[in-house]
Amino acid sequence: MKKLIPFLLVATLAACANTKADFRVDGSSATSTEKSVGKISRALSDQQRLEFAMALMQIQLSEINNVGDVLGNPSLLSTNYSFLANKINGMTYQEIMDLAQKSEVKIETRTN
C-alpha cells in the first residue's frame, strides 16, 4: 500500500503534464471546443490559466476590424467557442499560445 500511493501521485502528475503538452483541441463543435479548453485550463497553474485565457481572447479578437464589429456582435465580449472552434481545432496548448503571439491584438493585465 505504501508503494502504491507514490506511484498514483506520480501517475496523476504525469497525466496533468501530458494534458497540457500533448492534448489537442477538438474543434468539431462549440461544446467540444469548450470542453477541450477546460481540460487544458485545469492542467495549468493560475498564472498560465490567465495567460491562456488572454491568448484565446487575442485569437478571438484578431478578426475584428473596428469597434462596430464588437457592437454588432456582443458575443465577442465573452469567449466565443463557436468562433474559436475553427481557429484552434487540432491545436495543442503551445500552438494556441504561439498563434496568439502572432496576433496584432495585444491584451495586457494590470495589477494595482
Side-chain angles (χ1 to χ4, degrees):
M1 182 67 167
K2 287 183 182 181
K3 291 182 181 182
L4 182 61
I5 292 173
F7 172 77
L8 290 175
L9 179 61
V10 169
T12 302
L13 291 174
C16 288
N18 246 359
T19 299
K20 182 176 80 172
D22 300 332
F23 182 76
R24 294 197 175 272
V25 172
D26 174 4
S28 60
S29 70
T31 302
S32 64
T33 302
E34 184 174 7
K35 286 180 182 179
S36 294
V37 166
K39 185 171 185 173
I40 292 171
S41 292
R42 286 188 295 278
L44 302 173
S45 69
D46 288 342
Q47 180 63 34
Q48 289 173 318
R49 193 173 299 118
L50 176 62
E51 291 167 358
F52 184 57
M54 289 174 23
L56 292 172
M57 287 307 290
Q58 281 179 270
I59 293 167
Q60 181 175 308
L61 297 174
S62 66
E63 302 270 323
I64 293 178
N65 296 316
N66 58 55
V67 175
D69 291 346
V70 176
L71 296 175
N73 188 357
S75 70
L76 294 174
L77 296 175
S78 61
T79 306
N80 184 329
Y81 293 103
S82 294
F83 176 82
L84 287 174
N86 295 319
K87 294 290 185 182
I88 63 173
N89 183 36
M91 290 186 170
T92 63
Y93 164 79
Q94 192 56 54
E95 291 168 337
I96 292 168
M97 298 303 286
D98 293 343
L99 178 61
Q101 285 296 317
K102 294 175 188 173
S103 172
E104 291 181 19
V105 174
K106 300 301 175 204
I107 299 174
E108 298 177 8
T109 58
R110 293 185 185 171
T111 55
N112 293 333

